[in-house]
Amino acid sequence: MSDTALAAARTAFDRIMVEPSPADLWQLQKALLVIGGEPAARARAVARAFHACLRSLESKSASRAASRWGAVLGTAAVGSVSAGEMRARQEGALERLLQSGVPAMLEIGSAMKSAQAWEIEAGLIYDELAWFLYDELWDVSATARPELSPAERRDQIDVLLDPLLDSAVSDGDRAGLVVNVFLAVLAARLVSLFDGLSRDPRSAADD
């Protein structure tokens, strides 16, 4: 495993957590392929799905000046009461599912804060994204919180993902929600990977 690849993965990850972009996810997946191993492969699968998600969101919002990533991810004002309530529920569910430093790394709900300014066409296949994220959340939570019963784990994941399948929730709110959940899952995968590599003495020797 190359120290260069590990450094590249960490750099791309740091940029993604600030402002997720397909370009940085592409760089991340290349570094993860070099790192190798099952944990890197799992993180790479999340990066691939996240990349496809962002590409789809970009293609549907490209014609709208108000939908630029900077506006979506960097605005401090909360767009609506419903979005704020959704964000609070999401933060609590992530903390109960992961009970780690991952939620603290995120500005939970940042991708939803200007959801009203991000109008995309209806028809994004949220159900496919929910299927993928449900599996990922279950798996990372089973590792982070093994004491949760299946029913408790299911209930917390439902809090996070049910709005994706609710046609009454605006496309802007659902787009922000799915970006946030992807960030949390990717962070969970990579934090455990980086921690494991830092404790493995072979990682320093295999350059």
Side-chain angles (χ1 to χ4, degrees), residues 28 32 38-48 186 189-190 193:
L28 175 63
L32 291 172
E38 183 178 353
R42 289 178 176 270
R44 189 168 180 264
V46 176
R48 178 179 181 177
L186 184 65
R189 291 294 190 196
L190 288 175
L193 171 65

Side-chain angles (χ1 to χ4, degrees), residues 105-128:
M105 297 173 66
L106 303 169
E107 184 183 357
I108 299 298
S110 63
M112 295 194 294
K113 285 185 175 177
S114 58
Q116 286 185 331
W118 192 0
E119 299 176 18
I120 63 174
E121 299 173 11
L124 181 64
I125 308 176
Y126 288 109
D127 55 344
E128 291 188 5

